[in-house]
PDB file of all heavy atoms in Angstrom:
ATOM      1  N   ASP S 318      -1.183   6.047  53.476  1.00 82.00           N
ATOM      2  CA  ASP S 318      -1.305   6.991  54.640  1.00 82.00           C
ATOM      3  C   ASP S 318       0.084   7.165  55.199  1.00 82.00           C
ATOM      4  O   ASP S 318       0.331   8.115  56.066  1.00 82.00           O
ATOM      5  CB  ASP S 318      -2.237   6.453  55.646  1.00 82.00           C
ATOM      6  CG  ASP S 318      -3.700   6.432  55.260  1.00 82.00           C
ATOM      7  OD1 ASP S 318      -4.029   7.329  54.367  1.00 82.00           O
ATOM      8  OD2 ASP S 318      -4.483   5.710  55.871  1.00 82.00           O
ATOM      9  N   TYR S 319       1.125   6.377  54.897  1.00 85.00           N
ATOM     10  CA  TYR S 319       2.345   6.538  55.500  1.00 85.00           C
ATOM     11  C   TYR S 319       3.275   7.433  54.659  1.00 85.00           C
ATOM     12  O   TYR S 319       4.451   7.627  55.061  1.00 85.00           O
ATOM     13  CB  TYR S 319       3.046   5.072  55.519  1.00 85.00           C
ATOM     14  CG  TYR S 319       2.421   4.120  56.403  1.00 85.00           C
ATOM     15  CD1 TYR S 319       1.630   3.093  55.900  1.00 85.00           C
ATOM     16  CD2 TYR S 319       2.576   4.269  57.866  1.00 85.00           C
ATOM     17  CE1 TYR S 319       1.011   2.261  56.798  1.00 85.00           C
ATOM     18  CE2 TYR S 319       2.051   3.333  58.682  1.00 85.00           C
ATOM     19  CZ  TYR S 319       1.243   2.264  58.221  1.00 85.00           C
ATOM     20  OH  TYR S 319       0.625   1.414  59.043  1.00 85.00           O
ATOM     21  N   THR S 320       2.757   8.033  53.634  1.00 85.00           N
ATOM     22  CA  THR S 320       3.574   8.841  52.678  1.00 85.00           C
ATOM     23  C   THR S 320       4.298  10.000  53.423  1.00 85.00           C
ATOM     24  O   THR S 320       5.520  10.158  53.325  1.00 85.00           O
ATOM     25  CB  THR S 320       2.741   9.432  51.595  1.00 85.00           C
ATOM     26  OG1 THR S 320       2.124   8.310  50.874  1.00 85.00           O
ATOM     27  CG2 THR S 320       3.548  10.221  50.626  1.00 85.00           C
ATOM     28  N   LEU S 321       3.593  10.743  54.228  1.00 85.00           N
ATOM     29  CA  LEU S 321       4.206  11.951  54.885  1.00 85.00           C
ATOM     30  C   LEU S 321       5.296  11.532  55.883  1.00 85.00           C
ATOM     31  O   LEU S 321       6.360  12.121  55.920  1.00 85.00           O
ATOM     32  CB  LEU S 321       3.069  12.846  55.578  1.00 85.00           C
ATOM     33  CG  LEU S 321       3.594  14.139  56.140  1.00 85.00           C
ATOM     34  CD1 LEU S 321       4.155  14.973  54.986  1.00 85.00           C
ATOM     35  CD2 LEU S 321       2.515  14.871  56.841  1.00 85.00           C
ATOM     36  N   VAL S 322       5.008  10.513  56.677  1.00 86.00           N
ATOM     37  CA  VAL S 322       5.975  10.134  57.755  1.00 86.00           C
ATOM     38  C   VAL S 322       7.207   9.574  56.983  1.00 86.00           C
ATOM     39  O   VAL S 322       8.326   9.679  57.477  1.00 86.00           O
ATOM     40  CB  VAL S 322       5.359   9.182  58.798  1.00 86.00           C
ATOM     41  CG1 VAL S 322       4.285   9.914  59.636  1.00 86.00           C
ATOM     42  CG2 VAL S 322       4.775   7.930  58.179  1.00 86.00           C
ATOM     43  N   ALA S 323       6.939   8.722  56.008  1.00 89.00           N
ATOM     44  CA  ALA S 323       8.069   8.217  55.233  1.00 89.00           C
ATOM     45  C   ALA S 323       8.920   9.306  54.625  1.00 89.00           C
ATOM     46  O   ALA S 323      10.197   9.233  54.501  1.00 89.00           O
ATOM     47  CB  ALA S 323       7.594   7.202  54.224  1.00 89.00           C
ATOM     48  N   ASN S 324       8.254  10.322  54.125  1.00 89.00           N
ATOM     49  CA  ASN S 324       8.897  11.469  53.507  1.00 89.00           C
ATOM     50  C   ASN S 324       9.816  12.098  54.470  1.00 89.00           C
ATOM     51  O   ASN S 324      10.989  12.556  54.173  1.00 89.00           O
ATOM     52  CB  ASN S 324       7.773  12.456  53.007  1.00 89.00           C
ATOM     53  CG  ASN S 324       8.320  13.556  52.118  1.00 89.00           C
ATOM     54  OD1 ASN S 324       9.535  13.905  52.145  1.00 89.00           O
ATOM     55  ND2 ASN S 324       7.477  14.097  51.214  1.00 89.00           N
ATOM     56  N   ILE S 325       9.304  12.400  55.677  1.00 87.00           N
ATOM     57  CA  ILE S 325      10.058  13.065  56.709  1.00 87.00           C
ATOM     58  C   ILE S 325      11.221  12.164  57.125  1.00 87.00           C
ATOM     59  O   ILE S 325      12.403  12.704  57.261  1.00 87.00           O
ATOM     60  CB  ILE S 325       9.182  13.281  57.940  1.00 87.00           C
ATOM     61  CG1 ILE S 325       8.123  14.349  57.609  1.00 87.00           C
ATOM     62  CG2 ILE S 325      10.076  13.805  59.223  1.00 87.00           C
ATOM     63  CD1 ILE S 325       7.035  14.598  58.696  1.00 87.00           C
ATOM     64  N   CYS S 326      11.028  10.865  57.259  1.00 89.00           N
ATOM     65  CA  CYS S 326      12.181   9.953  57.653  1.00 89.00           C
ATOM     66  C   CYS S 326      13.206   9.983  56.603  1.00 89.00           C
ATOM     67  O   CYS S 326      14.395   9.883  56.825  1.00 89.00           O
ATOM     68  CB  CYS S 326      11.681   8.545  57.911  1.00 89.00           C
ATOM     69  SG  CYS S 326      10.697   8.361  59.378  1.00 89.00           S
ATOM     70  N   TRP S 327      12.794   9.934  55.313  1.00 93.00           N
ATOM     71  CA  TRP S 327      13.755   9.951  54.177  1.00 93.00           C
ATOM     72  C   TRP S 327      14.528  11.215  54.134  1.00 93.00           C
ATOM     73  O   TRP S 327      15.875  11.098  54.051  1.00 93.00           O
ATOM     74  CB  TRP S 327      12.915   9.834  52.861  1.00 93.00           C
ATOM     75  CG  TRP S 327      13.818   9.991  51.639  1.00 93.00           C
ATOM     76  CD1 TRP S 327      14.771   9.164  51.215  1.00 93.00           C
ATOM     77  CD2 TRP S 327      13.712  11.076  50.640  1.00 93.00           C
ATOM     78  NE1 TRP S 327      15.257   9.646  49.939  1.00 93.00           N
ATOM     79  CE2 TRP S 327      14.619  10.837  49.609  1.00 93.00           C
ATOM     80  CE3 TRP S 327      12.821  12.144  50.453  1.00 93.00           C
ATOM     81  CZ2 TRP S 327      14.686  11.597  48.505  1.00 93.00           C
ATOM     82  CZ3 TRP S 327      12.929  12.992  49.408  1.00 93.00           C
ATOM     83  CH2 TRP S 327      13.911  12.712  48.391  1.00 93.00           C
ATOM     84  N   ARG S 328      14.069  12.325  54.349  1.00 90.00           N
ATOM     85  CA  ARG S 328      14.811  13.582  54.369  1.00 90.00           C
ATOM     86  C   ARG S 328      15.699  13.685  55.574  1.00 90.00           C
ATOM     87  O   ARG S 328      16.772  14.219  55.597  1.00 90.00           O
ATOM     88  CB  ARG S 328      13.851  14.806  54.209  1.00 90.00           C
ATOM     89  CG  ARG S 328      13.278  15.020  52.974  1.00 90.00           C
ATOM     90  CD  ARG S 328      14.250  15.170  51.883  1.00 90.00           C
ATOM     91  NE  ARG S 328      14.550  16.645  51.730  1.00 90.00           N
ATOM     92  CZ  ARG S 328      15.597  17.077  50.919  1.00 90.00           C
ATOM     93  NH1 ARG S 328      16.369  16.300  50.172  1.00 90.00           N
ATOM     94  NH2 ARG S 328      15.860  18.392  50.826  1.00 90.00           N
ATOM     95  N   LEU S 329      15.181  13.142  56.719  1.00 88.00           N
ATOM     96  CA  LEU S 329      15.982  13.123  57.970  1.00 88.00           C
ATOM     97  C   LEU S 329      17.334  12.329  57.768  1.00 88.00           C
ATOM     98  O   LEU S 329      18.410  12.810  58.143  1.00 88.00           O
ATOM     99  CB  LEU S 329      15.238  12.611  59.186  1.00 88.00           C
ATOM    100  CG  LEU S 329      14.206  13.520  59.809  1.00 88.00           C
ATOM    101  CD1 LEU S 329      13.447  12.778  60.956  1.00 88.00           C
ATOM    102  CD2 LEU S 329      15.018  14.702  60.489  1.00 88.00           C
ATOM    103  N   LEU S 330      17.152  11.199  57.092  1.00 90.00           N
ATOM    104  CA  LEU S 330      18.281  10.297  56.959  1.00 90.00           C
ATOM    105  C   LEU S 330      19.339  10.791  55.837  1.00 90.00           C
ATOM    106  O   LEU S 330      20.475  10.744  55.904  1.00 90.00           O
ATOM    107  CB  LEU S 330      17.824   8.853  56.610  1.00 90.00           C
ATOM    108  CG  LEU S 330      17.440   8.055  57.817  1.00 90.00           C
ATOM    109  CD1 LEU S 330      16.885   6.670  57.359  1.00 90.00           C
ATOM    110  CD2 LEU S 330      18.566   7.786  58.844  1.00 90.00           C
ATOM    111  N   SER S 331      18.650  11.213  54.719  1.00 90.00           N
ATOM    112  CA  SER S 331      19.457  11.506  53.528  1.00 90.00           C
ATOM    113  C   SER S 331      19.892  12.934  53.432  1.00 90.00           C
ATOM    114  O   SER S 331      20.767  13.255  52.594  1.00 90.00           O
ATOM    115  CB  SER S 331      18.620  11.168  52.258  1.00 90.00           C
ATOM    116  OG  SER S 331      17.470  11.961  52.215  1.00 90.00           O
ATOM    117  N   TYR S 332      19.332  13.824  54.208  1.00 89.00           N
ATOM    118  CA  TYR S 332      19.655  15.345  54.053  1.00 89.00           C
ATOM    119  C   TYR S 332      19.933  15.987  55.309  1.00 89.00           C
ATOM    120  O   TYR S 332      21.095  16.452  55.540  1.00 89.00           O
ATOM    121  CB  TYR S 332      18.511  15.953  53.297  1.00 89.00           C
ATOM    122  CG  TYR S 332      18.730  17.392  53.055  1.00 89.00           C
ATOM    123  CD1 TYR S 332      19.743  17.847  52.211  1.00 89.00           C
ATOM    124  CD2 TYR S 332      17.877  18.305  53.653  1.00 89.00           C
ATOM    125  CE1 TYR S 332      19.941  19.210  51.957  1.00 89.00           C
ATOM    126  CE2 TYR S 332      18.094  19.730  53.447  1.00 89.00           C
ATOM    127  CZ  TYR S 332      19.110  20.122  52.558  1.00 89.00           C
ATOM    128  OH  TYR S 332      19.403  21.415  52.304  1.00 89.00           O
ATOM    129  N   TYR S 333      18.930  16.046  56.231  1.00 88.00           N
ATOM    130  CA  TYR S 333      19.086  16.860  57.430  1.00 88.00           C
ATOM    131  C   TYR S 333      20.225  16.260  58.255  1.00 88.00           C
ATOM    132  O   TYR S 333      20.904  17.023  59.006  1.00 88.00           O
ATOM    133  CB  TYR S 333      17.783  16.880  58.213  1.00 88.00           C
ATOM    134  CG  TYR S 333      16.729  17.594  57.473  1.00 88.00           C
ATOM    135  CD1 TYR S 333      15.526  16.989  57.055  1.00 88.00           C
ATOM    136  CD2 TYR S 333      16.876  18.978  57.097  1.00 88.00           C
ATOM    137  CE1 TYR S 333      14.546  17.594  56.372  1.00 88.00           C
ATOM    138  CE2 TYR S 333      15.901  19.593  56.351  1.00 88.00           C
ATOM    139  CZ  TYR S 333      14.752  18.969  56.016  1.00 88.00           C
ATOM    140  OH  TYR S 333      13.769  19.610  55.291  1.00 88.00           O
ATOM    141  N   LEU S 334      20.447  14.966  58.315  1.00 90.00           N
ATOM    142  CA  LEU S 334      21.475  14.361  59.063  1.00 90.00           C
ATOM    143  C   LEU S 334      22.843  14.952  58.658  1.00 90.00           C
ATOM    144  O   LEU S 334      23.708  15.282  59.492  1.00 90.00           O
ATOM    145  CB  LEU S 334      21.500  12.904  58.794  1.00 90.00           C
ATOM    146  CG  LEU S 334      22.646  12.073  59.418  1.00 90.00           C
ATOM    147  CD1 LEU S 334      22.569  12.169  60.937  1.00 90.00           C
ATOM    148  CD2 LEU S 334      22.631  10.611  58.985  1.00 90.00           C
ATOM    149  N   TYR S 335      23.064  15.162  57.357  1.00 90.00           N
ATOM    150  CA  TYR S 335      24.340  15.710  56.925  1.00 90.00           C
ATOM    151  C   TYR S 335      24.501  17.280  57.217  1.00 90.00           C
ATOM    152  O   TYR S 335      25.603  17.756  57.275  1.00 90.00           O
ATOM    153  CB  TYR S 335      24.503  15.455  55.452  1.00 90.00           C
ATOM    154  CG  TYR S 335      24.679  13.956  55.176  1.00 90.00           C
ATOM    155  CD1 TYR S 335      23.477  13.177  54.782  1.00 90.00           C
ATOM    156  CD2 TYR S 335      25.893  13.385  55.366  1.00 90.00           C
ATOM    157  CE1 TYR S 335      23.616  11.837  54.623  1.00 90.00           C
ATOM    158  CE2 TYR S 335      25.986  12.014  55.225  1.00 90.00           C
ATOM    159  CZ  TYR S 335      24.850  11.232  54.856  1.00 90.00           C
ATOM    160  OH  TYR S 335      24.989   9.948  54.711  1.00 90.00           O
ATOM    161  N   LEU S 336      23.377  17.921  57.310  1.00 87.00           N
ATOM    162  CA  LEU S 336      23.436  19.369  57.658  1.00 87.00           C
ATOM    163  C   LEU S 336      24.039  19.535  59.091  1.00 87.00           C
ATOM    164  O   LEU S 336      24.902  20.283  59.341  1.00 87.00           O
ATOM    165  CB  LEU S 336      22.042  19.910  57.626  1.00 87.00           C
ATOM    166  CG  LEU S 336      21.510  20.332  56.261  1.00 87.00           C
ATOM    167  CD1 LEU S 336      19.986  20.855  56.493  1.00 87.00           C
ATOM    168  CD2 LEU S 336      22.273  21.439  55.611  1.00 87.00           C
ATOM    169  N   PHE S 337      23.474  18.688  59.971  1.00 88.00           N
ATOM    170  CA  PHE S 337      23.936  18.715  61.394  1.00 88.00           C
ATOM    171  C   PHE S 337      25.317  18.193  61.568  1.00 88.00           C
ATOM    172  O   PHE S 337      26.066  18.704  62.374  1.00 88.00           O
ATOM    173  CB  PHE S 337      22.929  18.010  62.276  1.00 88.00           C
ATOM    174  CG  PHE S 337      21.633  18.755  62.308  1.00 88.00           C
ATOM    175  CD1 PHE S 337      20.481  18.100  61.862  1.00 88.00           C
ATOM    176  CD2 PHE S 337      21.418  20.051  62.879  1.00 88.00           C
ATOM    177  CE1 PHE S 337      19.157  18.734  61.903  1.00 88.00           C
ATOM    178  CE2 PHE S 337      20.217  20.626  62.931  1.00 88.00           C
ATOM    179  CZ  PHE S 337      19.072  20.030  62.513  1.00 88.00           C
ATOM    180  N   ILE S 338      25.696  17.081  60.866  1.00 90.00           N
ATOM    181  CA  ILE S 338      27.020  16.520  60.953  1.00 90.00           C
ATOM    182  C   ILE S 338      28.042  17.589  60.478  1.00 90.00           C
ATOM    183  O   ILE S 338      29.065  17.758  61.078  1.00 90.00           O
ATOM    184  CB  ILE S 338      27.133  15.200  60.200  1.00 90.00           C
ATOM    185  CG1 ILE S 338      26.330  14.063  60.951  1.00 90.00           C
ATOM    186  CG2 ILE S 338      28.552  14.780  60.054  1.00 90.00           C
ATOM    187  CD1 ILE S 338      26.268  12.778  60.179  1.00 90.00           C
ATOM    188  N   GLY S 339      27.684  18.138  59.336  1.00 88.00           N
ATOM    189  CA  GLY S 339      28.697  19.179  58.736  1.00 88.00           C
ATOM    190  C   GLY S 339      28.757  20.341  59.650  1.00 88.00           C
ATOM    191  O   GLY S 339      29.934  20.827  59.827  1.00 88.00           O
ATOM    192  N   ALA S 340      27.759  20.852  60.275  1.00 86.00           N
ATOM    193  CA  ALA S 340      27.794  22.001  61.141  1.00 86.00           C
ATOM    194  C   ALA S 340      28.622  21.592  62.385  1.00 86.00           C
ATOM    195  O   ALA S 340      29.330  22.411  63.005  1.00 86.00           O
ATOM    196  CB  ALA S 340      26.430  22.423  61.544  1.00 86.00           C
ATOM    197  N   PHE S 341      28.602  20.305  62.798  1.00 88.00           N
ATOM    198  CA  PHE S 341      29.337  19.876  63.992  1.00 88.00           C
ATOM    199  C   PHE S 341      30.748  19.772  63.769  1.00 88.00           C
ATOM    200  O   PHE S 341      31.664  20.087  64.526  1.00 88.00           O
ATOM    201  CB  PHE S 341      28.704  18.521  64.422  1.00 88.00           C
ATOM    202  CG  PHE S 341      29.420  17.925  65.631  1.00 88.00           C
ATOM    203  CD1 PHE S 341      29.296  18.402  66.914  1.00 88.00           C
ATOM    204  CD2 PHE S 341      30.307  16.894  65.432  1.00 88.00           C
ATOM    205  CE1 PHE S 341      29.918  17.854  67.957  1.00 88.00           C
ATOM    206  CE2 PHE S 341      31.032  16.285  66.476  1.00 88.00           C
ATOM    207  CZ  PHE S 341      30.809  16.801  67.782  1.00 88.00           C
ATOM    208  N   ILE S 342      31.171  19.147  62.522  1.00 90.00           N
ATOM    209  CA  ILE S 342      32.559  18.934  62.323  1.00 90.00           C
ATOM    210  C   ILE S 342      33.358  20.056  61.700  1.00 90.00           C
ATOM    211  O   ILE S 342      34.594  20.134  61.686  1.00 90.00           O
ATOM    212  CB  ILE S 342      32.882  17.699  61.439  1.00 90.00           C
ATOM    213  CG1 ILE S 342      32.405  17.909  59.987  1.00 90.00           C
ATOM    214  CG2 ILE S 342      32.137  16.409  62.024  1.00 90.00           C
ATOM    215  CD1 ILE S 342      32.778  16.793  59.026  1.00 90.00           C
ATOM    216  N   LEU S 343      32.606  21.019  61.104  1.00 87.00           N
ATOM    217  CA  LEU S 343      33.275  22.208  60.472  1.00 87.00           C
ATOM    218  C   LEU S 343      34.190  22.988  61.362  1.00 87.00           C
ATOM    219  O   LEU S 343      35.350  23.161  60.998  1.00 87.00           O
ATOM    220  CB  LEU S 343      32.234  23.165  59.919  1.00 87.00           C
ATOM    221  CG  LEU S 343      32.717  24.391  59.217  1.00 87.00           C
ATOM    222  CD1 LEU S 343      33.544  24.004  58.037  1.00 87.00           C
ATOM    223  CD2 LEU S 343      31.620  25.248  58.745  1.00 87.00           C
ATOM    224  N   PRO S 344      33.914  23.301  62.673  1.00 85.00           N
ATOM    225  CA  PRO S 344      34.812  24.029  63.525  1.00 85.00           C
ATOM    226  C   PRO S 344      36.104  23.200  63.736  1.00 85.00           C
ATOM    227  O   PRO S 344      37.167  23.805  63.825  1.00 85.00           O
ATOM    228  CB  PRO S 344      34.059  24.268  64.792  1.00 85.00           C
ATOM    229  CG  PRO S 344      32.581  24.168  64.297  1.00 85.00           C
ATOM    230  CD  PRO S 344      32.539  23.202  63.283  1.00 85.00           C
ATOM    231  N   ARG S 345      35.923  21.907  63.894  1.00 86.00           N
ATOM    232  CA  ARG S 345      37.063  21.021  64.230  1.00 86.00           C
ATOM    233  C   ARG S 345      37.994  20.911  62.981  1.00 86.00           C
ATOM    234  O   ARG S 345      39.237  20.865  63.101  1.00 86.00           O
ATOM    235  CB  ARG S 345      36.547  19.640  64.641  1.00 86.00           C
ATOM    236  CG  ARG S 345      35.889  19.674  65.993  1.00 86.00           C
ATOM    237  CD  ARG S 345      34.933  18.476  66.185  1.00 86.00           C
ATOM    238  NE  ARG S 345      34.379  18.512  67.522  1.00 86.00           N
ATOM    239  CZ  ARG S 345      33.347  19.258  67.900  1.00 86.00           C
ATOM    240  NH1 ARG S 345      32.856  20.121  66.968  1.00 86.00           N
ATOM    241  NH2 ARG S 345      32.912  19.219  69.167  1.00 86.00           N
ATOM    242  N   TRP S 346      37.404  20.899  61.801  1.00 87.00           N
ATOM    243  CA  TRP S 346      38.169  20.759  60.558  1.00 87.00           C
ATOM    244  C   TRP S 346      38.943  22.053  60.367  1.00 87.00           C
ATOM    245  O   TRP S 346      40.150  22.014  59.978  1.00 87.00           O
ATOM    246  CB  TRP S 346      37.246  20.539  59.400  1.00 87.00           C
ATOM    247  CG  TRP S 346      37.959  20.449  58.104  1.00 87.00           C
ATOM    248  CD1 TRP S 346      38.658  19.434  57.538  1.00 87.00           C
ATOM    249  CD2 TRP S 346      38.084  21.515  57.097  1.00 87.00           C
ATOM    250  NE1 TRP S 346      39.251  19.673  56.292  1.00 87.00           N
ATOM    251  CE2 TRP S 346      38.811  20.949  56.004  1.00 87.00           C
ATOM    252  CE3 TRP S 346      37.578  22.834  57.038  1.00 87.00           C
ATOM    253  CZ2 TRP S 346      39.162  21.801  54.912  1.00 87.00           C
ATOM    254  CZ3 TRP S 346      37.904  23.595  55.871  1.00 87.00           C
ATOM    255  CH2 TRP S 346      38.653  23.124  54.848  1.00 87.00           C
ATOM    256  N   ILE S 347      38.298  23.264  60.630  1.00 83.00           N
ATOM    257  CA  ILE S 347      39.048  24.521  60.499  1.00 83.00           C
ATOM    258  C   ILE S 347      40.154  24.591  61.421  1.00 83.00           C
ATOM    259  O   ILE S 347      41.205  25.110  61.017  1.00 83.00           O
ATOM    260  CB  ILE S 347      37.979  25.703  60.754  1.00 83.00           C
ATOM    261  CG1 ILE S 347      36.979  25.699  59.675  1.00 83.00           C
ATOM    262  CG2 ILE S 347      38.678  26.965  60.944  1.00 83.00           C
ATOM    263  CD1 ILE S 347      35.828  26.703  59.925  1.00 83.00           C
ATOM    264  N   ARG S 348      39.982  24.164  62.691  1.00 84.00           N
ATOM    265  CA  ARG S 348      41.129  24.185  63.625  1.00 84.00           C
ATOM    266  C   ARG S 348      42.282  23.298  63.108  1.00 84.00           C
ATOM    267  O   ARG S 348      43.434  23.628  63.232  1.00 84.00           O
ATOM    268  CB  ARG S 348      40.706  23.624  64.975  1.00 84.00           C
ATOM    269  CG  ARG S 348      39.885  24.728  65.814  1.00 84.00           C
ATOM    270  CD  ARG S 348      39.907  24.338  67.245  1.00 84.00           C
ATOM    271  NE  ARG S 348      39.200  23.144  67.485  1.00 84.00           N
ATOM    272  CZ  ARG S 348      37.925  22.923  67.788  1.00 84.00           C
ATOM    273  NH1 ARG S 348      37.182  24.015  67.804  1.00 84.00           N
ATOM    274  NH2 ARG S 348      37.376  21.782  68.008  1.00 84.00           N
TER     275      ARG S 348
END
Side-chain angles (χ1 to χ4, degrees):
D318 289 341
Y319 294 104
T320 301
L321 187 60
V322 293
N324 192 334
I325 295 171
C326 290
W327 173 62
R328 289 297 274 174
L329 281 173
L330 281 176
S331 65
Y332 181 65
Y333 296 117
L334 176 64
Y335 294 95
L336 282 176
F337 292 117
I338 290 176
F341 177 76
I342 70 170
L343 179 60
R345 292 159 178 77
W346 179 80
I347 290 173
R348 282 199 299 270

